[in-house]
Amino acid sequence: MKKSIWVVAHHQVTDIKPVTFELLNMADALARQIDATVNTLLMGPSVAALSSQLIGLCDNVYIFEDPMLEEYHYETYQQIFIKMAERYRPDILIVSSILRGTDCFPRLAAHFGAHYVAGCLDLSYQPEEELIAYHQAVYEGRAILEGAFRLDRMAVIMTRPHVFAPSMERKRKETKVSLLEISLSPIEFLTRRVSSIKNVAISLGEALVVVAGGRGMQGAGGFKLLWELARRLHGAVGATKAAVDAGWCEHRYQVGQTGSLISPEIYIACGISGSIHHLAGIQGAKTVIAINEDPNAPIFKRADYGIVGNVFEIIPELITEIDSL
Amino acid sequence: MRIIVCIKQVPDVEAEFHFKPDYPGIEVEKMSMIINPGDEVAIEGALRLKSIYPETEVILLSLGPPSARETLEYGLSLGADRAFLIVNDSYTFGQPFRTAHILAGAIRELGFDIILFGYRAVDDRLHFVGPAVAEFLELPHITGVTFMKVFKGINKCEAHQEVPKGINILECPYPAVFTVKRGLFAPRYPSMADRLAAKEKGIETFPLEKFWDEKTAKRYPVLAGMRFSIAETVRTERKVQWADAKKIAGILKKYKARTPMTESALDKGSGEEI
């Protein structure tokens, strides 16, 4: 039987999120190597209309609508994916680690005893040994693991956003849209959301532009300046461990060294000297821009563009320039 | 109330890094070994609960080589009551099913009300073992917890879960599994006296065979191979092009937000789901 690769679509109200096109591109490349179908699972309280955005990008779109999906619950996801896997027997399930990947998919893999890959950077097929190979950043980004597994059971793969080029090329002549043939049983939720506090409009992992600060920002006040720059670029703010330890911003903003590993398109390092530990956190950043007073700061050896100068003068200047564009 | 905190001894990735291309990617004997930073936060979380419910027993559990005794002893010096080591031959990396299965077995043996893990290990970064143990023990789980409360009378926990855009406040009955992230729980440091007292407490052990055999191993997936390389950002220098604000603004042009996010988008507020 033909193998099948499943991708879980990410979406917001009226759009399929770009990360979905990354996952589909990744799935398509692998599907060609192992002769598999590419299937997209589109799930939410009301998502059917979004399926048109997936035509030509995969063989099948499966829609699953349920009011229970209004709110995220790992318990709902667990039931949907268990039933989906039992009904359709996917060989590979690819999801993005953003949103709630690390909350529900480890548990799903544990349930099935499935191959489990987290922080996946790429997937390829090695025909001579019939293995699926992947790369993953380990040791807080200091090293890269190349792992390989046999497709002897289902594989659950969580990928890091922005590492694979999104493709909108409609390579497939036909895409069949159908409803996912499963029915949910009522769930007595054990975990229940009481309330939420929203802190940022865009998350560090998801942002294409990350404006990060280090010791050179001199305090929480300095970070306000970074927010000013970030919000003009629809970006997120990041911080070095030193800045977090100094209490200038919360740990959630930390990049590298027990913080996040990120791969933005643009990384703007402000007042960051550029220790190896920090740089390990921006593996895969496409363009690195550094602003630092010290022309000998190690960050300039890892930057594509550099400005030597005082961050408190350069950043306001940069903001003025962007506003005048 | 009995809280079990699962901890792992990991290489200190911020100390000198001794790379090797073969499994496990580092020269373990040359690396300085520490408690996984997230697990230290989990211990702190347990101790905060103990400070509210003093009759609570905080038990540390680790699967690791004999050297992991040091890590358990460190945990005892912070204030944990007992520590158990499931003795493994060597440091392990990336064997999440084996680890989760063995820990679940030992946890069942010990008995529990609350089980805490660090949110992730800094070495293999899989985020797997906590939720997997919850699955094996058929318990609810909450991941990425930065703060929690226990309401003993009504058998309920409330947890602040950090998600990419903010915090969700969740509740669940216990027994339950939580993976803990650095947030409101800043780990404490032990005094010299605490260190000495920890040595007195001693480490109890479980033999690995009690929870793991070849037949069990067959149930779980294994990797066909692992190779390691040094990460590119660390390895490769880039050629910097000196610029001014005007030039940089030009590079950033395509990212310029049509409507900049408002201040309020950054503010705390709203009860909407995130």
Side-chain angles (χ1 to χ4, degrees):
Chain A
M1 211 175 81
K2 213 169 176 178
K3 295 204 180 317
S4 66
I5 303 175
W6 284 63
V7 164
V8 181
H10 289 255
H11 53 82
Q12 50 205 14
V13 191
T14 55
D15 276 308
I16 299 288
K17 283 195 172 193
V19 67
T20 311
F21 303 116
E22 278 183 50
L23 301 182
L24 282 169
N25 199 12
M26 199 177 206
D28 179 68
L30 184 65
R32 283 164 201 282
Q33 298 173 60
I34 62 170
D35 187 30
T37 59
V38 176
N39 309 273
T40 308
L41 176 57
L42 182 55
M43 54 195 255
S46 164
V47 289
L50 298 177
S51 62
S52 62
Q53 297 176 39
L54 296 162
I55 302 299
L57 297 173
C58 54
D59 299 294
N60 295 290
V61 176
Y62 290 95
I63 294 167
F64 184 74
E65 292 185 325
D66 194 292
M68 260 209 279
L69 289 166
E70 200 73 60
E71 191 171 324
Y72 167 82
H73 265 286
Y74 83 82
E75 290 154 274
T76 324
Y77 271 52
Q78 180 90 346
Q79 198 191 131
I80 293 171
F81 282 100
I82 288 173
K83 287 186 166 161
M84 180 279 261
E86 284 167 353
R87 164 74 179 77
Y88 294 92
R89 305 267 160 211
D91 293 284
I92 300 177
L93 175 65
I94 306 179
V95 301
S96 174
S97 61
I98 56 168
L99 299 173
R100 310 306 173 76
T102 55
D103 188 59
C104 62
F105 292 103
R107 191 159 184 155
L108 183 76
H111 178 89
F112 282 109
H115 288 294
Y116 171 82
V117 178
C120 178
L121 302 170
D122 59 11
L123 283 175
S124 63
Y125 181 59
Q126 300 180 337
E128 54 294 341
E129 292 157 282
E130 297 185 355
L131 294 174
I132 306 283
Y134 65 90
H135 287 90
Q136 182 213 341
V138 295
Y139 298 113
E140 294 304 83
R142 297 297 296 276
I144 300 293
L145 160 71
E146 185 186 357
F149 57 86
R150 216 164 287 286
L151 263 189
D152 49 3
R153 50 177 86 209
M154 182 167 81
V156 176
I157 315 271
M158 290 195 297
T159 68
R160 174 126 63 98
H162 310 321
V163 296
F164 217 77
S167 169
M168 300 289 283
E169 200 190 322
R170 303 193 185 277
K171 294 177 187 164
R172 283 180 170 67
K173 283 195 201 83
E174 204 182 348
T175 298
K176 197 175 153 210
V177 180
S178 44
L179 297 178
L180 191 75
E181 290 167 4
I182 61 163
S183 56
L184 280 194
S185 328
I187 303 174
E188 287 240 12
F189 292 114
L190 288 174
T191 60
R192 207 175 65 83
R193 191 175 65 94
V194 185
S195 61
S196 290
I197 303 165
K198 188 169 181 169
N199 282 358
V200 289
I202 186 157
S203 69
L204 197 49
E206 216 180 340
L208 292 175
V209 179
V210 172
V211 182
R215 229 187 284 269
M217 295 317 294
Q218 294 180 16
F223 271 79
K224 286 217 177 86
L225 205 50
L226 303 183
W227 279 112
E228 281 303 314
L229 181 56
R231 71 189 187 91
R232 285 167 168 79
L233 301 166
H234 202 67
V237 166
T240 62
K241 184 166 189 287
V244 171
D245 286 348
W248 302 344
C249 58
E250 290 171 47
H251 182 251
R252 65 166 71 222
Y253 300 113
Q254 188 176 312
V255 174
Q257 290 173 287
T258 76
S260 305
L261 299 189
I262 55 170
S263 312
E265 284 187 10
I266 304 267
Y267 190 74
I268 308 177
C270 307
I272 292 177
S273 65
S275 74
I276 261 189
H277 310 299
H278 179 72
L279 292 166
I282 56 166
Q283 182 77 31
K286 281 169 203 76
T287 302
V288 177
I289 299 168
I291 306 170
N292 202 298
E293 217 160 21
D294 176 6
N296 297 315
I299 189 75
F300 288 125
K301 288 203 161 64
R302 315 282 165 168
D304 302 288
Y305 298 95
I307 303 182
V308 177
N310 182 327
V311 284
F312 296 100
E313 289 165 16
I314 306 287
I315 298 173
E317 208 183 310
L318 189 53
I319 289 174
T320 314
E321 288 290 344
I322 289 169
D323 285 345
S324 71
L325 283 174
Chain B
M1 188 163 66
R2 175 170 282 187
I3 304 178
I4 298 183
V5 188
C6 296
I7 67 177
K8 185 182 184 187
Q9 186 183 45
V10 296
D12 182 357
V13 289
E14 291 176 34
E16 215 177 318
F17 195 73
H18 298 276
F19 171 80
K20 72 169 183 188
D22 302 320
Y23 177 87
I26 48 166
E27 294 183 82
V28 182
E29 58 296 339
K30 288 190 187 163
M31 297 282 297
S32 128
M33 301 297 279
I34 54 166
I35 180 169
N36 181 50
D39 305 349
E40 202 175 349
V41 181
I43 294 177
E44 182 62 33
L47 296 173
R48 301 273 179 108
L49 293 175
K50 188 181 165 79
S51 71
I52 295 164
Y53 297 113
E55 79 297 350
T56 299
E57 190 182 23
V58 175
I59 297 185
L60 306 178
L61 175 65
S62 187
L63 166 66
S67 69
R69 283 172 176 275
E70 294 160 28
T71 304
L72 286 164
E73 217 161 71
Y74 180 76
L76 287 173
S77 75
L78 296 172
D81 299 294
R82 293 171 76 187
F84 288 84
L85 177 66
I86 309 161
V87 192
N88 207 15
D89 292 342
S90 54
Y91 165 76
T92 58
F93 172 99
Q95 300 177 18
F97 284 91
R98 178 179 183 271
T99 306
H101 182 96
I102 293 168
L103 289 177
I107 291 167
R108 221 179 261 127
E109 178 92 4
L110 289 167
F112 52 89
D113 294 293
I114 288 171
I115 305 165
L116 302 181
F117 287 87
Y119 175 61
R120 65 148 184 264
V122 293
D123 51 1
D124 57 22
R125 298 182 55 87
L126 290 172
H127 305 80
F128 181 83
V129 176
V133 165
E135 176 67 18
F136 293 156
L137 296 176
E138 297 178 47
L139 298 174
H141 80 255
I142 299 179
T143 56
V145 170
T146 55
F147 178 71
M148 65 185 283
K149 290 184 209 163
V150 171
F151 303 97
K152 254 186 91 176
I154 51 171
N155 194 57
K156 199 175 81 178
C157 293
E158 183 181 289
H160 292 205
Q161 175 186 55
E162 194 178 278
V163 289
K165 291 181 184 175
I167 288 168
N168 284 324
I169 298 166
L170 303 169
E171 53 180 40
C172 71
Y174 62 90
V177 172
F178 302 87
T179 72
V180 181
K181 237 181 182 177
R182 202 176 114 174
L184 295 175
F185 301 140
R188 61 190 69 184
Y189 292 99
S191 68
M192 207 28 131
D194 295 332
R195 292 269 203 169
L196 291 170
K199 288 209 185 297
E200 297 291 308
K201 287 185 193 165
I203 312 283
E204 296 159 79
T205 56
F206 282 125
L208 184 75
E209 304 73 48
K210 195 172 165 72
F211 311 111
W212 189 251
D213 54 41
E214 282 185 19
K215 198 169 146 241
T216 313
K218 289 208 172 78
R219 301 215 311 252
Y220 298 118
V222 282
L223 286 177
M226 286 194 212
R227 291 285 296 165
F228 295 81
S229 55
I230 292 277
E232 185 270 342
T233 37
V234 178
R235 194 181 57 213
T236 322
E237 296 198 353
R238 299 185 183 201
K239 178 88 187 92
V240 68
Q241 214 184 100
W242 300 109
D244 58 13
K246 199 174 181 70
K247 183 172 170 86
I248 299 298
I251 294 162
L252 297 174
K253 189 173 178 183
K254 71 179 251 221
Y255 299 96
K256 185 180 172 181
R258 259 168 276 151
T259 41
M261 288 184 281
T262 57
E263 290 282 342
S264 68
L266 312 170
D267 276 351
K268 295 171 200 268
S270 90
E272 74 178 285
E273 201 207 355
I274 39 182

